[in-house]
Amino acid sequence: MAGTLAGLILDLDGLAIDSESTYRAAWRAAAAEMGYRYSDADWAGLLGLSGPEVLAGLANLAGDGFDQASFRQLSGEIWLAQVETDGIAVKPGLPELLEAAQAAGIPYCIATNSRAAAARRSLAYAGLAETFPLLVAVDQVARGKPAPDVYLEAARRLDLPASACLALEDSPVGVAAAVAAGIRCWLVPSSYPVDALAGRQAERVLSDLREAADFISAARSLPL
């Protein structure tokens, strides 16, 4: 789909910052401490979901007796200790991507399935506290991804029609949300193999954000 690119909307966890790996590490450690074991496929199936949906998914996989409140508290304590020591890594190519958007005069926004406070906290641990003035979180809309709400609100805050925006996503849930909002989407997978449906729904499948930066730099003179 070709057209003018006027706004850029980025997912946060797994796309802009490598927070998903920190969450998974904390969840795995908490699950092990509580006596639960999940497969890699189980964890992959939780990519892109909101916190409550992750808890519900883990509980469903574990069966009766899974204490969501205890798991939430324990995993949160493990996560906080981890990121206070190590921080959260920025995904490769993010600085180049934002620089390309700024050079092209393209405004950008975060649209995330995290709650606003959690998203801002993660950005701070990644050293990006002041990088994204515009951020739409799951607790600011009626429904989280894969519903289109966060993307529609992001386009509204950018004061742009959805069709003039580009979404960058790393998960099938996020791609589905962007497509449902009528926003073109590029997939930068955070796990492999690439989900077949997400790969078909996305306009492009890229290896990292540097590729996205290159395309956006070229968009100043070439149609997307």
Side-chain angles (χ1 to χ4, degrees), residues 28 38-46 61:
R28 285 177 186 267
Y38 298 97
S39 69
D40 289 342
D42 292 335
W43 293 115
L46 302 174
L61 290 166

Side-chain angles (χ1 to χ4, degrees), residues 3-102:
T4 301
L5 171 60
L8 184 63
I9 306 176
L10 287 73
D11 177 51
L12 179 63
D13 301 303
L15 187 285
I17 60 176
D18 193 19
S19 48
E20 283 192 338
S21 68
T22 68
Y23 294 142
R24 286 197 298 270
W27 293 336
R28 285 177 186 267
E33 191 167 326
M34 293 176 66
Y36 296 103
R37 297 289 184 273
Y38 298 97
S39 69
D40 289 342
D42 292 335
W43 293 115
L46 302 174
L47 285 175
L49 298 179
S50 66
E53 290 171 330
V54 169
L55 283 173
L58 292 173
N60 182 61
L61 290 166
D64 294 339
F66 185 87
D67 187 335
Q68 292 194 34
S70 295
F71 181 88
R72 186 189 308 110
Q73 179 176 345
L74 179 58
S75 63
E77 291 170 354
I78 292 170
W79 180 83
L80 187 59
Q82 173 183 309
V83 298
E84 284 186 340
T85 299
D86 300 328
I88 298 176
V90 174
K91 294 290 281 188
L94 180 68
E96 294 93 330
L97 174 64
L98 299 184
E99 182 179 349
Q102 290 165 358

Side-chain angles (χ1 to χ4, degrees), residues 103-121:
I106 299 170
Y108 47 81
C109 178
I110 289 285
T112 177
N113 250 4
S114 290
R115 298 176 67 85
R120 289 295 182 192
R121 182 174 59 174

